[in-house]
Amino acid sequence: MGREFLEIFEQWADSYDDTVVGHDMEYLEVFSHYEQILDLVVARSHGHVVEFGVGTGNLTQKLRLKGLAVTGIEPSPSMRKISVEKLGDDALILDGDFLHYPNIENIDTIVSTYAFHHLTDDEKAIAIAGYSKLLSKSGKIVFADTMYETEEDYNCAIVKAKTEGFHSLAKDLETEYYTTIPVLKHIFEKNGFSVSFTKCNEFVWLMEGVKQ
Ligand SMILES: C[S@@+](CC[C@H](N)C(=O)[O-])C[C@H]1O[C@@H](n2cnc3c(N)ncnc32)[C@H](O)[C@@H]1O
């Protein structure tokens, strides 16, 4: 489990960078302030960074420009190919996913943008429990993704997308595993993290967990 949406990314890889700059009206708001959202993740990262769901390598590139060592994990072969073309052959982009990844040591920060919703809530809990074992005190998890303050807000977002005629977005919201801040807060705290949430646009929040 956890890789059931991969075919979408195999198809989307070639045009993904057009979507993030606003060429797809349905996803305009999802990706609004995209560059600034990635910059926020970079600003809160330090040391050896592990990035899950690298995609076309946009966050990886920014992390490397800051001088950080990045180990990227990405399950889609098409996305991996584009990211390596963008980043250069010395970039370390490995096959793996949030739940299955190579043995990596001495990790300071675990980051991800626009990807954690590919796991169910149960899988999210398994993933965070695993990362808790990999991080030392003050180690961080910094994720930006779509999430909602309440279930009601989530349902309203689906209705709004349908009303606006954004049927792909509505289907995406209905089929992938978007969750709520209380669910995530519970998972992080249960695994020994203090956690904070910052709203970035109508969909995306920045979530920062610090290992206590
Ligand atoms: C919307 S893209 C985000 C790409 C990039 N992080 C960004 O912010 O532009 C989602 C990425 O997550 C990857 N993905 C899908 N399922 C995943 C999983 N179970 N574990 C890790 N990454 C996954 C996809 O292949 C895709 O590259």
Side-chain angles (χ1 to χ4, degrees):
M1 293 299 282
R3 286 191 177 211
E4 59 264 50
F5 303 108
L6 262 202
E7 191 48 38
I8 295 171
F9 294 100
E10 286 299 294
Q11 304 299 326
W12 195 6
D14 282 337
S15 63
Y16 182 78
D17 279 347
D18 292 331
T19 307
V20 303
V21 294
H23 289 192
D24 183 339
M25 279 308 292
E26 297 210 19
Y27 284 86
L28 199 57
E29 179 57 25
V30 174
F31 288 106
S32 102
H33 309 303
Y34 176 75
E35 295 291 334
Q36 292 93 322
I37 290 168
L38 303 194
D39 288 339
L40 276 177
V41 174
V42 174
R44 293 170 188 226
S45 301
H46 70 282
H48 175 205
V49 180
V50 171
E51 179 187 357
F52 287 100
V54 162
T56 57
N58 295 328
L59 176 63
T60 331
Q61 190 169 47
K62 285 176 182 282
L63 290 161
R64 281 159 55 95
L65 281 173
K66 191 186 169 182
L68 300 175
V70 186
T71 303
I73 309 286
E74 168 56 56
S76 155
S78 303
M79 286 292 198
R80 281 203 304 277
K81 182 168 177 285
I82 292 173
S83 66
V84 170
E85 280 166 9
K86 186 180 287 178
L87 300 165
D89 284 339
D90 61 329
L92 189 57
I93 309 294
L94 307 173
D95 184 13
D97 59 56
F98 282 112
L99 295 171
H100 311 99
Y101 41 87
N103 187 27
I104 309 168
E105 291 176 343
N106 301 321
I107 304 169
D108 299 296
T109 315
I110 297 175
V111 301
S112 179
T113 50
Y114 291 88
F116 201 42
H117 62 271
H118 295 112
L119 299 190
T120 65
D121 285 353
D122 285 348
E123 289 169 338
K124 289 183 185 85
I126 293 168
I128 299 299
Y131 305 158
S132 178
K133 292 191 186 117
L134 295 175
L135 291 167
S136 308
K137 189 171 170 4
S138 304
K140 281 186 182 180
I141 297 176
V142 186
F143 285 180
D145 201 6
T146 291
M147 61 188 77
Y148 293 93
E149 289 180 279
T150 63
E151 280 290 332
E152 191 186 357
D153 288 350
Y154 184 6
N155 292 329
C156 285
I158 295 169
V159 172
K160 183 166 184 256
K162 286 181 180 168
T163 308
E164 290 173 338
F166 292 167
H167 299 293
S168 299
L169 175 62
K171 183 171 171 232
D172 173 350
L173 291 173
E174 280 180 319
T175 49
E176 300 189 13
Y177 309 122
Y178 298 97
T179 193
T180 64
I181 288 174
V183 167
L184 289 163
K185 189 169 185 294
H186 176 72
I187 292 173
F188 272 75
E189 289 179 350
K190 196 175 158 202
N191 286 287
F193 292 88
S194 68
V195 63
S196 61
F197 297 84
T198 309
K199 191 165 187 174
C200 300
N201 66 30
E202 200 181 307
F203 292 84
V204 176
W205 290 72
L206 182 79
M207 171 171 74
E208 179 175 0
V210 182
K211 184 88 185 289
Q212 299 303 294

